[in-house]
Amino acid sequence: MKEPTIPSPSSSAPRSTGTGRTRAKAILVGEHAVVYGEPAIALPIASLPMRATARREDGPLMLESVLYSGTLADAPEQLAAPRAAVEATLDHLGLPHTGIVLATESTIPAARGLGSSAATAGALALALADLAGRTLTPQEHFDLVQVGERVAHGNPSGLDARTTASTEPVWFQAGEIRSLDLRLRAHLVVADTGVHGRTRVAVADVRSFLERHPARGAELIAELGQITRDAVDDLALDRPRELGARMTRAHGALAELGVSSPELDRLVGAALAAGALGAKLTGGGQGGCLLALAADTTSAGTIAAALRRAGAARTWLHRTDARHPAAPAQVSLG
């Protein structure tokens, strides 16, 4: 196991434009149990990329995005996290806080547990570094994204910041983050319930369950931890059926802890009925998104259609063995 990998730079000369690219993340297994010392595995989702550009242009620091276009200083509270990361990146690189136009392009939905804030901040930091002809180390990039994540989440674990910049699965436990081998040849269907996740409420509900049912709660947390450990071999040894079964078990444990919702349970049932090898919620829960594992492209399409008929607002398909295409990148392993 090794540090999360980020593509190496292609140039060190200052430019008139810079580009940066990250991607969404999804927690494969281990959410909530990770709060109690167990491991979690997160996957970068290359099919949900975040692209950012930075170009030199006279005038104030500007932002162009789907949510807002105007001066960065006047951006709405919803964009406070990427704004903080941008300001920290400008200071770190010695760039002025004027004369730059930033633009983002993405299909990552916000507030769905897919790491949209970290992906946005990370792509913008990379674009600015590319504009300056600079190479960020993984630690520099992580630290700059975390500036924004602290605004968004208060005390972030760092999992989103690492995974959205990685091209490999990421293992997280007790503050330790490292990459995992991935040889799994399967497809993931990511489905959006259309309901904002309620991570803070879900975390409090799990804590309440553990206080009211300490023995059963401890069993469920331990079960989730073991599922995550076993999933490491599933990913490395190309065992999609075994992984799918573990995912469904994990959803059952999370549902018992109070993390699921009627929308999530309905979609998990629809995915399994349509032939999914396994399905579960991903992230904080009580809304947000779910993952369904499919053996091949045809099955993935069938499952996605069934999920939309069952009420999913959107679906995306992701090949587990896909890698993010090479792009002008500004972070090296240094």
Side-chain angles (χ1 to χ4, degrees):
M1 296 183 187
K2 50 192 179 298
E3 282 289 320
T5 57
I6 307 173
S8 58
S10 58
S11 172
S12 59
R15 305 177 178 189
S16 59
T17 61
T19 61
R21 185 166 179 167
T22 55
R23 70 281 312 157
K25 78 93 179 62
I27 296 181
L28 181 66
V29 282
E31 54 269 273
H32 288 282
V34 73
V35 176
Y36 299 92
E38 297 290 350
I41 296 173
L43 296 177
I45 306 297
S47 55
L48 281 171
M50 169 67 71
R51 303 178 184 87
T53 61
R55 67 179 188 271
R56 299 182 189 276
E57 189 173 300
D58 291 341
L61 184 61
M62 302 289 290
L63 176 65
E64 299 172 350
S65 71
V66 172
L67 294 175
Y68 166 82
S69 291
T71 60
L72 188 65
D74 295 324
E77 183 63 25
Q78 189 176 0
L79 296 173
R83 172 184 170 179
V86 164
E87 292 171 344
T89 302
L90 292 170
D91 290 341
H92 181 74
L93 297 171
L95 291 172
H97 287 236
T98 60
I100 297 173
V101 176
L102 299 164
T104 60
E105 179 185 354
S106 174
T107 56
I108 305 174
R112 297 297 197 278
L114 297 179
S116 62
S117 65
T120 302
L124 288 168
L126 292 175
L128 286 168
D130 194 32
L131 183 71
R134 289 279 302 276
T135 297
L136 298 176
T137 67
Q139 189 61 47
E140 285 176 313
H141 185 258
F142 174 80
D143 290 343
L144 292 169
V145 175
Q146 283 293 84
V147 170
E149 288 295 274
R150 281 190 286 273
V151 171
H153 303 296
N155 186 29
S157 67
L159 185 61
D160 284 14
R162 292 291 191 195
T163 310
T164 55
S166 181
T167 58
E168 299 169 324
V170 172
W171 166 283
F172 177 83
Q173 185 177 23
E176 178 189 1
I177 300 177
R178 55 192 179 184
S179 290
L180 297 174
D181 291 333
L182 176 62
R183 300 180 185 276
L184 186 74
R185 291 173 294 178
H187 293 70
L188 277 174
V189 181
V190 184
D192 180 6
T193 63
V195 178
H196 284 204
R198 302 195 306 161
T199 300
R200 292 186 181 181
V201 175
V203 168
D205 286 350
V206 171
R207 185 180 302 113
S208 174
F209 184 97
L210 295 176
E211 291 171 351
R212 291 181 287 110
H213 310 286
R216 180 55 179 160
E219 290 177 358
L220 291 169
I221 294 298
E223 178 183 6
L224 289 166
Q226 190 58 52
I227 287 171
T228 302
R229 293 181 181 88
D230 292 338
V232 173
D233 288 337
D234 296 335
L235 293 172
L237 300 176
D238 189 19
R239 301 192 308 208
R241 293 193 177 278
E242 291 86 344
L243 178 61
R246 294 189 218 287
M247 290 170 62
T248 303
R249 281 177 50 210
H251 183 80
L254 291 165
E256 188 173 347
L257 287 168
V259 176
S260 192
S261 69
E263 296 87 0
L264 285 164
D265 289 341
R266 181 176 66 252
L267 292 182
V268 166
L272 295 174
L277 301 177
K280 63 178 287 295
L281 64 87
T282 182
Q286 296 190 1
C289 291
L290 72 121
L291 304 177
L293 190 65
D296 52 44
T297 304
T298 300
S299 179
T302 299
I303 294 164
L307 286 168
R308 290 192 295 272
R309 287 195 300 270
R314 289 167 288 187
T315 59
W316 301 271
L317 304 184
H318 171 71
R319 280 182 51 185
T320 58
D321 60 348
R323 288 294 187 270
H324 193 280
Q330 304 76 13
V331 182
S332 70
L333 290 176

